[in-house]
Amino acid sequence: MKYKTGLLVALSFLSIASSNQKEHPKIYNKGWIDFNKNGIMDVYENPKATIDARVANLVSLMNVEEKTCQMATLYGFSRVLADELPTENWKNEIWKDGIANIDEHLNTIWNQPKTQTQYSFPYSTHAEAINKVQKWFIEETRMGIPVDFTNEGVHGLCHKKATPLPAPIGIGSTWNKELVYKAGTIVGREAKALGYTNIYAPILDVARDPRWGRVLECYGEEPFHIAEMGKQMTLGLQSQNVASTLKHFAVYSIPKGARDGDARTDPHVAPREMHQLHLYPFKRVIQEAAPMGVMSSYNDYDGVPITASHYFLTELLREKYGFEGYVVSDSEAVEYVSEKHHVAEDYKEAVRQVVEAGLNVRTTFRTPESYIEPLRELIAEGKVSMKTINLRVSEVLKVKFQLGLFDQPYVENPKASDALVHTKAAEEFSKQINRESLVLLKNEYNTLPLDISKLKNILVTGPLADEVNFTYSRYGPAENPSTSVYQGIKKYAVGKATVTYEKGCDVVDANWPESEIIPMPLSKEEQASINAAVEKAKQADVIIAVVGEDDKRVGETMSRTSLDLPGRQFELVQALYATGKPVVLVLINGQPLTINWENKFIPAILEAWFPSTCAGEVIAETLFGEYNPGGKLSVTFPKSVGQLPLNFPFKPGSQAGQPSSGPNGSGNTRVLGALYPFGYGLSYTTFDYSNLVVHQKSKQSQGEIELSCEITNTGDREGDEIVQLYLKDKVSSVTTYESQLRGFERIHLAPGATKTVYFTLHPDDLALLDKNMNFTVEPGTFEILVGASSEDIRLQKEFEIIN
């Protein structure tokens, strides 16, 4: 990362000052700031000193009150902080001695009116307001320690009008590393322009149970794929000199039975599986992208709360993985140690445990003094040593120095923010990443793309056809204009075809979710709504049904029991199909759905996940052939929840069929196989794989293996193919996965064009966790599998490791 330490000019800081605030012009000197206002350049104020020296000097000058204030978050306006800008009363608040970070200040959260503020937009107004808050901490606290302004950013920056991105499950479905890096740079650039210096992204959780409500916030179910996506997002964010904070560490994404809400605990994961699946992305991203932050999760693992675990927060995170940033707690993670997990007799003891474990900063929707005051009591009682406190504070301050906050604490040119946030180029990028997130699941009889010249009447129906709530997110931009699928198709077809709309049904029925386990007859109103859609369908040349889940069915604390289409949507789809007219299904959903009947009978299905505000435009382009979908599934679609868990990768035999012959053969008693496997996705064109070449310069365990293959577009349309490399360890000392993803590339090819795709296998790609729980490359034969999905393997070759 490049750290900015440019010279500071006194006048540039004076221009930031608020007219109603006391000014300290004497602290702004040429090339340095006198943060502690003592008239001399202390080591921590010297831009030429090393970061370690500056941290050590600052810690030596701080008192206990100042140190403990660097260990808590102040949640921003309307969550905890009542004020948008500093007030006289701030001198009476606990943050008179400073604060570690202020989270989500003045950002505006979708669907939360209390967060609306006059200071969020225009962008320059926001930057100026953040500067005023920063100015108060620098000028009105004794040590003048700058604030790290944190914010969410997994769906695009969580701000009123930042550039929107599709949900992470859609980003994961692009399999486009270059695109994800660019997404990170956009989020980082906009954060920096608005005054945010630390972004809570990416999410590296491994989504292994599709019933879990936060599947849409994950890149997928496969650790290598998640690591590659997360690495690029982290690198992109931090290229803009803002910190990337990974979440949620660790083993967070698999609560028992996928039950979230008040459960949030008890992951049933064996130690080897934990390291190979759930910790793998964190280890990779920390070692290869050096994120400055990690968020500790609120669940336990094997009886020990993660946030109170020295093993997770110190031994693994810092000593084994080499993490050098600071750790914030997820909301209520500290409180749960005593209130939910009951491994501490009271909250004060919980505070002691998390500090000893390695937590740097408590972050939750409570006042900072609720954490700082018991922490100070523990120090006074001798229950937490100053050595421990100094270490935790030093790790926080080191990040602040790395971010350049002690050299350039302000947004240098707030007016420039208006030209840096949500630019025309960024809006075009948003459309492109939404396009690339689309996955074509079925296209029987080449139903798609639709030829609009042959259509006179188009019916767009379904509960999500003219809805846009799924285009926004608690963790993304709040108020950009959004286009529904119906409006997008209507606009596309102007002057070409007549587009009509009928809702057909609501997303859920009045008895949902009970109706998922107890079938109930349609009400008169429900039957009338479906009949209205059917009547319009009879007049249409094609039916586009937009079905799935909305924002109230998917997300945090919203795990599901069933994965079928909720409510009366299935009955609507059946009724539309019964008209005999061609039906195209567009899925809006945040997790895999068990659409077995739909897959069998509906000729064309397009998976759109939770796209962002250009949803209608990009889906219309794709349905009518201006864009050829090339995304691939980053999660397995099961046929039934009764099959769960059903994921890739998997151990030999764990997802096998049942024998119908032989000594134990007794016929079939259950549904087998995936509806759509990991890595699956169709295109409007076809691709041929050939000429797999393996270059193994050495058969030693630490050598690299280079390989290549050729991909040819054999159809008549340009399109994208995602070439996937899997590796199989044929014989090993412990059971390994049937195969594992170890490389992928998204390529674009014109009709008839051929491209050579190159991969390199590194020693870590061959390693397994042996009987002694050490990662080791064992001698033996490995098989390379290259294909279009985890099941559609086109090319195979073997190589050998001899030692």
Side-chain angles (χ1 to χ4, degrees):
M1 170 167 288
K2 298 178 181 178
Y3 302 114
K4 190 169 182 179
T5 58
L7 293 180
L8 306 176
V9 180
L11 289 177
S12 68
F13 291 106
L14 294 178
S15 66
I16 295 165
S18 169
S19 60
N20 63 351
Q21 285 182 293
K22 180 180 177 182
E23 296 179 7
H24 294 274
K26 292 183 180 179
I27 74 172
Y28 300 110
N29 302 286
K30 186 176 182 180
W32 67 284
I33 303 174
D34 186 10
F35 290 101
N36 63 2
K37 309 155 193 74
N38 65 356
I40 62 173
M41 183 191 290
D42 293 283
V43 175
Y44 86 93
E45 298 165 342
N46 183 359
K48 295 182 180 179
T50 66
I51 287 178
D52 287 344
R54 297 176 80 178
V55 169
N57 175 246
L58 177 53
V59 171
S60 73
L61 298 173
M62 296 167 69
N63 59 37
V64 173
E65 286 73 22
E66 290 157 344
K67 289 175 182 177
T68 51
C69 278
Q70 293 299 313
M71 296 177 67
T73 292
L74 171 60
Y75 249 100
F77 170 66
S78 81
R79 269 77 90 199
V80 170
L81 186 57
D83 311 307
E84 295 161 297
L85 296 178
T87 68
E88 287 296 322
N89 190 54
W90 281 25
K91 295 297 288 185
N92 302 317
E93 300 285 0
I94 200 164
W95 55 86
K96 69 182 185 300
D97 294 312
I99 202 74
N101 53 37
I102 299 179
D103 196 21
E104 297 196 83
H105 190 49
L106 305 177
N107 60 349
T108 301
I109 295 177
W110 176 72
N111 222 12
Q112 294 191 20
K114 69 177 183 177
T115 66
Q116 290 283 348
T117 168
Q118 61 182 317
Y119 297 107
S120 64
F121 186 80
Y123 307 119
S124 54
T125 302
H126 186 281
E128 289 166 355
I130 293 292
N131 275 348
K132 289 175 182 178
V133 177
Q134 186 72 282
K135 182 178 189 292
W136 188 91
F137 280 92
I138 289 171
E139 297 185 359
E140 302 298 331
T141 65
R142 186 180 77 95
M143 298 304 295
I145 299 172
V147 171
D148 185 13
F149 287 95
T150 57
N151 198 359
E152 302 286 351
V154 302
H155 208 293
L157 184 67
C158 187
H159 177 267
K160 187 172 185 176
K161 289 184 177 292
T163 301
L165 299 176
I169 190 66
I171 295 174
S173 297
T174 70
W175 295 62
N176 190 328
K177 290 172 280 188
E178 182 180 346
L179 207 66
V180 175
Y181 176 86
K182 189 169 182 180
T185 66
I186 290 172
V187 174
R189 183 191 71 218
E190 296 185 349
K192 188 73 172 176
L194 290 165
Y196 299 114
T197 48
N198 191 329
I199 300 303
Y200 293 161
I203 291 178
L204 299 183
D205 300 317
V206 182
R208 301 293 284 182
D209 193 323
R211 296 170 297 180
W212 185 52
R214 301 193 81 172
V215 168
L216 87 160
E217 295 173 18
C218 302
Y219 291 134
E221 71 185 17
E222 203 285 330
F224 181 90
H225 170 265
I226 295 166
E228 292 289 297
M229 297 285 101
K231 173 184 174 180
Q232 296 305 321
M233 181 62 75
T234 300
L235 290 171
L237 279 166
Q238 297 199 158
S239 72
Q240 304 303 300
N241 200 22
V242 301
S244 167
T245 291
L246 313 179
K247 55 185 195 176
H248 308 83
F249 186 82
V251 206
Y252 167 78
S253 58
I254 188 163
K256 183 179 179 181
R259 288 182 284 276
D260 203 345
D262 287 336
R264 299 187 175 194
T265 187
D266 200 17
H268 286 194
V269 178
R272 184 170 276 104
E273 180 180 349
M274 177 184 73
H275 286 282
Q276 292 180 325
L277 295 183
H278 294 276
L279 295 179
Y280 177 92
F282 288 95
K283 179 181 178 181
R284 283 270 320 273
V285 174
I286 288 168
Q287 293 180 344
E288 297 176 24
M292 296 187 202
V294 162
M295 180 181 288
S296 65
S297 55
Y298 43 56
N299 56 283
D300 68 337
Y301 176 74
D302 195 23
V304 180
I306 297 293
T307 300
S309 169
H310 187 270
Y311 172 73
F312 278 97
L313 298 194
T314 298
E315 293 174 43
L316 270 184
L317 196 58
R318 295 193 183 276
E319 295 172 5
K320 288 194 175 182
Y321 297 172
F323 175 67
E324 294 184 346
Y326 75 86
V327 181
V328 299
S329 64
D330 198 359
S331 294
E332 301 298 280
V334 176
E335 290 73 15
Y336 284 171
V337 172
S338 57
E339 295 174 8
K340 181 168 291 184
H341 302 301
H342 305 299
V343 299
E345 61 184 2
D346 55 27
Y347 173 63
K348 187 173 171 181
E349 169 59 14
V351 172
R352 187 197 68 79
Q353 288 187 22
V354 299
V355 171
E356 295 288 355
L359 181 69
N360 296 102
V361 175
R362 193 285 300 265
T363 303
T364 194
F365 299 95
R366 303 192 189 200
T367 62
E369 55 264 35
S370 65
Y371 181 76
I372 293 170
E373 288 174 355
L375 178 57
R376 289 174 179 174
E377 290 177 12
L378 289 165
I379 295 169
E381 294 166 1
K383 294 179 179 178
V384 175
S385 72
M386 284 309 301
K387 180 179 179 182
T388 298
I389 296 297
N390 288 343
L391 178 58
R392 300 289 174 263
V393 173
S394 295
E395 290 160 346
V396 175
L397 295 175
K398 183 177 180 180
V399 170
K400 292 189 176 187
F401 278 107
Q402 288 177 326
L403 290 171
L405 288 175
F406 286 87
D407 302 313
Q408 176 50 276
Y410 303 113
V411 179
E412 289 183 86
N413 184 2
K415 292 296 182 185
S417 301
D418 292 327
L420 291 171
V421 182
H422 204 152
T423 63
K424 288 184 178 180
E427 180 66 22
E428 286 305 310
F429 172 83
S430 176
K431 293 176 184 177
Q432 185 59 25
I433 196 169
N434 273 279
R435 292 183 189 104
E436 295 199 21
S437 72
L438 301 175
V439 184
L440 185 61
L441 298 179
K442 186 180 179 184
N443 196 24
E444 196 173 31
Y445 314 122
N446 291 321
T447 301
L448 294 176
L450 299 171
D451 186 346
I452 200 166
S453 68
K454 298 179 180 178
L455 302 172
K456 292 182 179 180
N457 296 298
I458 300 169
L459 171 64
V460 183
T461 185
L464 296 167
D466 201 24
E467 180 57 74
V468 296
N469 61 37
F470 55 83
T471 67
Y472 300 103
S473 168
R474 159 66 181 87
Y475 297 104
E479 288 190 9
N480 291 308
S482 186
T483 305
S484 70
V485 177
Y486 164 59
Q487 294 296 337
I489 292 172
K490 186 177 180 182
K491 181 178 179 181
Y492 184 91
V494 168
K496 304 171 186 175
T498 299
V499 179
T500 57
Y501 164 75
E502 186 67 39
K503 188 175 183 180
C505 67
D506 293 326
V507 174
V508 297
D509 59 277
N511 297 304
W512 192 88
E514 186 182 17
S515 58
E516 291 197 330
I517 60 172
I518 302 177
M520 299 179 184
L522 274 69
S523 67
K524 291 181 179 179
E525 293 78 11
E526 289 171 338
Q527 188 64 65
S529 293
I530 292 175
N531 291 345
V534 167
E535 287 305 308
K536 287 190 178 181
K538 291 177 181 178
Q539 309 305 315
D541 299 311
V542 67
I543 303 162
I544 299 172
V546 188
V547 296
E549 301 166 308
D550 62 2
D551 66 308
K552 295 180 181 178
R553 253 45 66 175
V554 180
E556 189 169 6
T557 75
M558 290 187 277
S559 298
R560 287 192 59 192
T561 304
S562 167
L563 291 175
D564 294 342
L565 287 175
R568 302 305 190 182
Q569 296 183 69
F570 178 54
E571 287 90 338
L572 172 64
V573 173
Q574 284 187 309
L576 295 171
Y577 173 76
T579 65
K581 298 298 180 72
V583 180
V584 175
L585 215 60
V586 175
L587 293 179
I588 303 292
N589 49 301
Q591 57 214 120
L593 298 178
T594 49
I595 50 168
N596 297 285
W597 188 94
E598 297 87 336
N599 177 68
K600 184 171 183 178
F601 293 104
I602 303 301
I605 305 174
L606 181 69
E607 173 62 79
W609 298 117
F610 268 31
S612 56
T613 50
C614 60
E617 181 179 347
V618 300
I619 290 172
E621 291 173 348
T622 303
L623 294 176
F624 292 102
E626 286 196 17
Y627 178 73
N628 183 356
K632 302 272 189 176
L633 295 180
S634 59
V635 285
T636 301
F637 274 53
K639 294 175 181 176
S640 165
V641 294
Q643 295 176 286
L644 301 180
L646 187 77
N647 303 105
F648 184 89
F650 55 89
K651 292 291 183 70
S654 65
Q655 293 178 190
Q658 293 177 309
S660 57
S661 60
N664 294 314
S666 56
N668 295 324
T669 59
R670 64 182 298 143
V671 173
L672 302 171
L675 181 61
Y676 308 114
F678 174 80
Y680 170 85
L682 303 176
S683 171
Y684 296 157
T685 188
T686 54
F687 299 94
D688 180 64
Y689 287 60
S690 63
N691 197 25
L692 175 60
V693 179
V694 179
H695 304 277
Q696 188 179 11
K697 297 178 182 178
S698 168
K699 293 188 177 182
Q700 304 300 312
S701 63
Q702 296 307 300
E704 292 188 341
I705 299 162
E706 297 177 351
L707 55 139
S708 63
C709 64
E710 293 180 354
I711 312 298
T712 302
N713 183 343
T714 53
D716 57 4
R717 290 177 176 267
E718 63 178 328
D720 290 359
E721 175 67 332
I722 298 168
V723 186
Q724 302 161 44
L725 166 66
Y726 297 90
L727 187 67
K728 179 181 178 68
D729 189 347
K730 301 198 75 171
V731 179
S732 51
S733 61
V734 295
T735 59
T736 55
Y737 296 99
E738 188 68 32
S739 68
Q740 295 185 82
L741 182 69
R742 283 298 179 259
F744 58 88
E745 294 293 336
R746 182 166 183 150
I747 61 172
H748 184 80
L749 290 172
T754 298
K755 183 172 184 177
T756 302
V757 179
Y758 299 91
F759 295 102
T760 300
L761 287 172
H762 305 283
D764 286 350
D765 294 326
L766 279 60
L768 55 75
L769 202 54
D770 67 15
K771 293 178 181 178
N772 299 315
M773 298 298 285
N774 295 316
F775 280 101
T776 307
V777 179
E778 293 184 342
T781 301
F782 293 80
E783 188 173 11
I784 291 170
L785 311 165
V786 178
S789 82
S790 59
E791 293 186 2
D792 185 7
I793 301 301
R794 310 286 185 88
L795 305 170
Q796 296 175 246
K797 275 198 175 181
E798 294 183 352
F799 67 90
E800 188 177 4
I801 298 296
I802 61 173
N803 73 323

